[in-house]
Amino acid sequence: MSRRCELSGKAVMSGNNVSHANRKTRRRFLPNLCQVTLISDVLGRQVSLRISAHALRSVEHNGGLDPFLMKASDAQLSPRALKLKRQVEKAQAVAA
């Protein structure tokens, strides 16, 4: 399983540890990933996703999973999240 957020695309970054003596050694910055279950109002079901804490705050700020997916670009979403976005779009079109 890759260390990548399914909604925001946030992934592992690399950089340096810098000591007091200014020695540089390589290190990894891992994203703060959480396994969460979000509710899709349009689909009427729960969806389990592995997302970053930053993305979870963004979902809450946008008013839930469905508005977040509609606003998100297709390039940053994982294939699973993109499939979910298509399902939500289709359900909204049927409901309207």
Side-chain angles (χ1 to χ4, degrees):
M1 182 182 304
S2 67
R3 290 192 168 112
R4 180 175 295 273
C5 174
E6 293 190 79
L7 295 181
S8 68
K10 193 174 284 221
V12 176
M13 293 174 53
S14 63
N16 289 318
N17 276 330
V18 182
S19 70
H20 184 68
N22 206 28
R23 290 183 52 143
K24 295 161 186 79
T25 55
R26 299 304 285 178
R27 64 163 290 182
R28 293 172 56 178
F29 295 95
L30 301 177
N32 185 9
L33 295 178
C34 312
Q35 183 72 34
V36 296
T37 302
L38 299 171
I39 298 170
S40 172
D41 296 328
V42 175
L43 298 177
R45 64 184 176 99
Q46 296 179 345
V47 181
S48 181
L49 296 169
R50 191 167 185 223
I51 63 174
S52 64
H54 174 77
L56 183 58
R57 290 185 64 196
S58 298
V59 167
E60 293 298 320
H61 179 77
N62 283 311
L65 181 62
D66 302 332
F68 178 85
L69 287 173
M70 293 299 103
K71 200 171 185 180
S73 67
D74 293 349
Q76 71 184 16
L77 296 174
S78 70
R80 234 176 103 209
L82 195 58
K83 184 178 176 183
L84 186 65
K85 181 179 180 177
R86 300 290 177 249
Q87 289 174 353
V88 169
E89 286 173 343
K90 190 175 180 181
Q92 282 181 341
V94 169

